[in-house]
Amino acid sequence: MIKSGMKWMFLIIGTTIGAGYASGREIWQFFGHGSGLAIILFTVMFAICCYVILSISYEQRSSHYLPVLRLIVGKHLTSLYDKLILFYLFTTTVVMMAGSGATWQAFHFPYWWGIGALCIPLVIAFVWDIKGILSMNNLLLPLLIGGLFYVLYIFHAEQHLSLSAQWVEQHNWSSAFPFTALNILPLIAVLGAVGKHVKVKGEIWIASVGSGLVLGVITYIYNNSLIYLAEEILLYEIPLFAILKHYPYQFFLFISALLWLALFTTALSGVFGFISRLKGKMKLPLWLLALVTISLMIPFTSFGFATLIKYLYPLYGILNLYILSAILLYPVANRYKIE
């Protein structure tokens, strides 16, 4: 049960930690000064959302997100949010692909090499169906989480930072809601596709509480580091590089590898959620669906990483607030009861 719960936990974290989160840009945009309570609220709400979504998926024995979505938002809004989720998964995966191209470009490789470096292993992962995705997550996520935590720990130790600095004031507590909402749609898409693979309810508790705590702790430590560098962050498009400015070039390479892993794991979860929804209508193997979907995505990467993030992410944050409310109120307001 613990091993199975951990693999769902890694799937959740891999869906959530994209390039925006791993680079620190997303954290600094929503949190910053006076956000200790906000991060705790995010941790609790995120764990509750994961538990509700996974529980419904488990009870429905679902293989894609539509049955889960229908119970959360009701039949009248299901069609709207179904289209929104498909659009979200498609566009955010395009963002991750464009980010991979930009990352490779920073090291003076052709942009399209970076696209190919992400797309080829994405397709290969689906050759082994869901086992391939979970195995990839189980391999990469400990490296990503461990590496990020190691960098933040070293920075805190060398700068002698106090973790209590965020409790002086709490004026930014409300930012927990849009930050949590931003990550809801991909969770529904991905967790809604694994219900039939969950064996017992204990797996859900481990995955939900574990992912909430891991993300909450990293977010708190990360935000504490960024507060210390608040005046310097404006000079960096990627806040994480402000932390690394006094470190050797090898650290820069290490962090670039971590950011690329974050791109890959998010793209992997995005494609999985997208093609799981299509599989019910198209009787094709997952790897072939992945190949077709990724091929359709590639032309859109020409819009560029920064442009895509600038226009798409704020829109999703606003639209997701309703579905966040629906999930948090679901156990109380709906006839369907989670045992």
Side-chain angles (χ1 to χ4, degrees):
M1 182 180 74
I2 294 176
K3 185 178 179 181
S4 296
M6 292 285 285
K7 71 183 179 185
W8 306 129
M9 183 186 80
F10 286 139
L11 182 62
I12 292 168
I13 296 173
T15 304
T16 306
I17 298 186
Y21 182 99
S23 69
R25 175 55 58 190
E26 210 173 278
I27 293 172
W28 188 244
Q29 181 176 339
F30 284 93
F31 295 127
H33 295 282
S35 298
L37 179 59
I39 294 172
I40 290 179
L41 286 173
F42 156 69
T43 303
V44 173
M45 288 192 295
F46 187 86
I48 292 172
C49 288
C50 291
Y51 180 79
V52 171
I53 296 167
L54 258 179
S55 294
I56 297 173
S57 181
Y58 168 71
E59 295 293 341
Q60 295 293 309
R61 311 306 296 165
S62 57
S63 58
H64 58 82
Y65 65 79
L66 199 60
V68 178
L69 184 65
R70 189 178 293 116
L71 283 169
I72 291 173
V73 300
K75 61 180 181 180
H76 299 297
L77 290 176
T78 296
S79 178
L80 171 64
Y81 272 97
D82 182 26
K83 293 179 177 63
L84 179 61
I85 287 176
L86 285 173
F87 184 71
Y88 178 95
L89 294 172
F90 189 94
T91 52
T92 51
T93 305
V94 169
V95 168
M96 297 305 118
M97 291 163 65
S100 179
T103 301
W104 280 60
Q105 207 170 32
F107 289 95
H108 308 293
F109 289 102
Y111 181 79
W112 295 107
W113 283 25
I115 303 294
L118 190 78
C119 293
I120 292 170
L122 272 182
V123 175
I124 292 173
F126 286 95
V127 171
W128 292 277
D129 211 293
I130 190 173
K131 291 182 179 178
I133 296 105
L134 294 175
S135 297
M136 196 76 79
N137 268 311
N138 291 344
L139 174 66
L140 298 180
L141 260 298
L143 293 175
L144 176 57
I145 296 167
L148 192 56
F149 185 82
Y150 173 74
V151 170
L152 295 173
Y153 171 78
I154 292 295
F155 182 74
H156 269 70
E158 292 193 356
Q159 302 299 326
H160 306 289
L161 299 186
S162 170
L163 290 175
S164 61
Q166 299 184 57
W167 293 102
V168 177
E169 51 182 330
Q170 300 299 330
H171 64 273
N172 197 35
W173 62 270
S174 60
S175 62
F177 295 95
F179 185 76
T180 309
L182 182 65
N183 297 293
I184 291 302
L185 284 185
L187 284 178
I188 293 175
V190 173
L191 298 183
V194 301
K196 68 178 184 179
H197 300 284
V198 178
K199 300 295 189 297
V200 294
K201 269 293 186 72
E203 297 176 23
I204 299 174
W205 280 106
I206 293 170
S208 304
V209 176
S211 58
L213 287 175
V214 169
L215 288 171
V217 169
I218 291 179
T219 302
Y220 188 90
I221 297 173
Y222 209 151
N223 190 58
N224 201 56
S225 303
L226 297 178
I227 289 173
Y228 179 77
L229 297 167
E231 295 181 359
E232 302 175 39
I233 287 177
L234 293 174
L235 304 175
Y236 294 85
E237 185 175 357
I238 296 178
L240 188 55
F241 289 158
I243 295 175
L244 297 172
K245 68 174 184 176
H246 298 301
Y247 291 94
Y249 183 69
Q250 290 84 345
F251 250 72
F252 175 78
L253 293 176
F254 176 61
I255 289 303
S256 297
L258 286 184
L259 292 177
W260 189 88
L261 280 181
L263 290 168
F264 180 79
T265 56
T266 304
L268 186 66
S269 297
V271 174
F272 174 59
F274 190 90
I275 65 177
S276 296
R277 175 69 180 92
L278 298 181
K279 192 178 180 182
K281 298 180 179 180
M282 304 171 67
K283 303 298 181 182
L284 296 172
L286 278 184
W287 71 268
L288 186 55
L289 278 175
L291 178 61
V292 172
T293 301
I294 291 168
S295 299
L296 292 173
M297 290 174 175
I298 289 175
F300 293 95
T301 59
S302 59
F303 287 107
F305 182 60
T307 304
L308 288 165
I309 284 182
K310 179 180 177 181
Y311 291 105
L312 291 175
Y313 277 27
L315 173 64
Y316 294 140
I318 294 170
L319 291 172
N320 289 6
L321 282 172
Y322 171 77
I323 205 165
L324 171 63
S325 303
I327 294 171
L328 293 175
L329 294 173
Y330 182 85
V332 177
N334 204 284
R335 291 181 181 179
Y336 180 85
K337 295 180 181 179
I338 300 173
E339 298 178 356

